[in-house]
Amino acid sequence: MSRDTGSEALARLAEERVDHRFKGLPPDADGLTVGELAAQRRNLFTGGFTTPVLALSAERLAHNLRLMETYAVRHGLAFAPHGKTSMAPQLFRRQIEHGAWGITLAVPHQVRVARAYGIQRVFLANELTDPAALRWIAGELESDPAFRIICYVDSVRGVELMDRALRGTARPVDVVVELAAGEGARTGVRTEAECAAVADAVAGTDTLRLVGVAGYEGEVPRADPERVHAWLRRLVALAVDFDKAGRFTGVEEIVVSAGGSAWFDAVADVFAEIPELSLPVLKLLRSGAYVSHDDGHYRKITPFNRVPEEGALEPAFRLWAQIVSRPSAEQAFANAGKRDAAYDLDLPFAQVVRREGTAERPATGVEVTGLSDQHAWLRTGPEADLEVGDWLGLGLSHPCTSFDKWQLIPVAEADGTVVEYIRTFF
């Protein structure tokens, strides 16, 4: 594929045929293209959609995209949202249109998806030692001068493996030394002395180019504001020390990157303290869960809760299931389970009930207590008005495991009108 076809590749998503592969879509839409179905502007509740069906709120999605764009601008941050949250090229494009520097990814498959849809800047938040993947990336760099990828390194051994796979390639791969968030944290170099050794190993190659430092503050053990700020200051100090040692000679800018979706306020605080260095600094934030937000994990820990004057993200997902069994006054079952709902951190939250011929109302007295493969277990109190056939709207926790369960997701306006469909690639 030529490198000017990102828009064309996105347009071709609308030409895909609707069929049995896509959960929840109207059976009578089989054979239509996605674009033709979107043009019909069917209603999510009366247009033939079957339960369970996951939907994104058009208004809340747009709000979240705007909010993080203005946040990054306000704090002088470049933004490379973590695309592994959604793996949706249409959302990648919208994030780029809202000012994102590029997209953060984690594994080679995700980079291939991004490249197939025209993404020109990728931050790979992982050390990559797979020879086949490295050779493919080298080919992308050689064939497309505008493509840029930045990759973690976190060991001398990793540098050696990367160098071996890349020898003879035309362009070096830009790398950043990953500083671990602490002992017992996930990946990354544990000490500053070891960081220097990794940087020395990079300097000894022709295939890699050191451009900065990075890490993930969400892995700080027993994370709290004090510990997270302290680790971020270690990261900044590492960049300053590397710069004083002349380790960034020959690059255009120094990359300093951090930022999950729980502590990006701390990232903004500490990155504002970065002193003047010998080169411009790309302060790169990587928070990704904001695009859909959620009703559980991130809603409880979002930085906007700590700094409310910055605004507020809005949960954009809702999973609609149907009540299929009401065996007692204290129990009911809906037809959505582990195959449909994120459940790795929190169970879904019963929010609203829709009954044919009546207005949508709060799901008072209804609680999700467990998930089977295809059923949600519901505890119902005396105040719960719930019948077989009712539609139950569920809020979800942790968007990182919501997108991967649905390949084609309707985007619905507040009145239920479906205006587009988001294609995911996991």
Side-chain angles (χ1 to χ4, degrees), residues 130-420:
D130 185 313
L134 285 163
R135 288 192 293 268
W136 174 79
I137 285 173
E140 292 292 291
L141 289 167
E142 184 172 1
S143 64
D144 184 0
F147 175 47
R148 186 180 186 193
I149 186 167
I150 300 172
C151 180
Y152 277 178
V153 287
D154 86 338
S155 66
V156 172
R157 170 66 173 166
V159 170
E160 292 170 349
L161 291 172
M162 294 179 76
D163 179 51
R164 184 185 307 168
L166 291 168
R167 283 175 193 167
T169 56
R171 286 176 62 188
V173 173
D174 287 348
V175 296
V176 289
V177 173
E178 181 194 6
L179 176 67
E183 287 300 323
R186 197 166 60 191
T187 56
V189 187
R190 267 32 184 184
T191 69
E192 281 73 3
E194 291 172 300
C195 286
V198 173
D200 286 341
V202 172
T205 74
D206 296 322
T207 58
L208 304 176
R209 184 175 73 149
L210 183 67
V211 298
V213 299
Y216 174 45
E217 75 292 338
E219 284 290 316
V220 169
R222 302 180 308 281
D224 61 24
E226 183 178 357
R227 289 187 177 94
V228 170
H229 279 77
W231 177 81
L232 286 163
R233 291 191 174 102
R234 275 187 67 199
L235 182 70
V236 169
L238 181 64
V240 172
D241 289 346
F242 276 12
D243 187 43
K244 288 179 179 177
R247 295 188 183 277
F248 300 126
T249 302
V251 305
E252 298 78 31
E253 62 187 1
I254 298 169
V255 178
V256 182
S257 180
S261 296
W263 295 101
F264 56 77
D265 57 331
V267 175
D269 288 345
V270 176
F271 280 15
E273 302 170 359
I274 295 177
E276 185 174 348
L277 301 181
S278 65
L279 295 164
V281 178
L282 182 71
K283 304 174 183 179
L284 195 60
L285 181 69
R286 305 193 309 271
S287 313
Y290 81 97
V291 69
S292 61
H293 199 41
D294 69 1
D295 281 290
H297 177 68
Y298 284 116
R299 190 171 195 174
K300 290 181 286 188
I301 64 172
T302 175
F304 289 120
N305 290 342
R306 294 189 289 271
V307 195
E309 61 270 22
E310 295 271 18
L313 293 167
E314 297 178 352
F317 269 137
R318 182 164 282 170
L319 176 63
W320 290 96
Q322 197 164 26
I323 304 303
V324 293
S325 181
R326 189 78 160 97
S328 73
E330 294 79 31
Q331 195 175 40
F333 292 86
N335 65 343
K338 293 179 181 178
R339 309 298 183 197
D340 314 298
Y343 64 94
D344 60 321
L345 294 180
D346 299 295
L347 290 170
F349 308 91
Q351 293 180 325
V352 294
V353 176
R354 295 183 66 94
R355 181 175 299 163
E356 186 175 0
T358 65
E360 185 175 292
R361 53 187 167 77
T364 306
V366 181
E367 179 188 4
V368 179
T369 60
L371 294 175
S372 299
D373 283 354
Q374 300 294 171
H375 289 94
W377 294 60
L378 308 174
R379 179 186 296 128
T380 53
E383 68 276 36
D385 179 11
L386 205 61
E387 296 180 354
V388 169
D390 289 348
W391 280 40
L392 178 66
L394 300 169
L396 301 176
S397 178
H398 203 196
C400 296
T401 55
S402 295
F403 281 100
D404 61 352
K405 299 178 186 298
W406 296 83
Q407 291 183 298
L408 197 60
I409 304 172
V411 179
E413 295 179 339
D415 65 357
T417 302
V418 176
V419 294
E420 65 175 314

Side-chain angles (χ1 to χ4, degrees), residues 22-40:
F22 304 123
K23 300 190 293 185
L25 300 192
D28 67 350
D30 274 14
L32 295 177
T33 67
V34 173
E36 288 168 343
L37 180 58
Q40 292 182 356

